[in-house]
Amino acid sequence: MKTMSRGNELTIFLSGDIDHHCAREIREAADGLVHEKQPGVLKLNFADVGFMDSSGIGLIMGRYRIMQLYGGSLKVTDVPEGLRRIMELSGLNALDVLEGENQ
């Protein structure tokens, strides 16, 4: 999992498939980074994610809650169109975390 820190932003670049087999590992790593760096904004970059099931939705919602506890915010970026539809149908757009129309 690649990361980038810039100012008060921490970006986590996700890749491959996000399903119940790998979601726990991503969750634990992301939570550790948030605890360590305490960013004001956590960005989850989905540009290289090809598939996501409900575990991916849970991953996003959990990081949203953690960032709220730290007084920060979550942004989900560079989402491929197929995954964006899944996220919108799950109601994530109501949390105002999805960035851009085609990202």
Side-chain angles (χ1 to χ4, degrees):
M1 183 169 62
K2 182 180 166 191
T3 64
M4 179 179 70
S5 249
R6 183 178 300 156
N8 76 336
E9 287 185 2
L10 171 64
T11 303
I12 298 175
F13 297 89
L14 304 171
S15 62
D17 295 344
I18 299 177
D19 57 22
H20 70 279
H21 293 293
C22 67
R24 180 179 181 186
E25 181 179 319
I26 295 169
R27 214 174 25 245
E28 290 173 356
D31 291 354
L33 287 166
V34 167
H35 179 70
E36 175 188 332
K37 298 184 182 289
Q38 298 188 10
V41 178
L42 173 63
K43 292 186 173 186
L44 299 178
N45 183 297
F46 276 76
D48 293 327
V49 175
F51 169 82
M52 179 183 78
D53 65 11
S54 61
S55 300
I57 300 299
L59 174 75
I60 294 167
M61 293 180 77
R63 287 349 85 212
Y64 174 80
R65 284 189 291 265
I66 285 173
M67 289 306 296
Q68 283 188 317
L69 290 173
Y70 279 96
S73 63
L74 173 73
K75 293 297 177 187
V76 178
T77 65
D78 297 314
V79 180
E81 188 57 38
L83 297 182
R84 175 171 286 279
R85 179 132 169 84
I86 291 168
M87 290 179 188
E88 289 172 350
L89 288 172
S90 72
L92 285 179
N93 52 339
L95 298 178
D96 195 30
V97 298
L98 296 174
E99 281 198 342
E101 183 178 4
N102 295 318
Q103 294 185 20

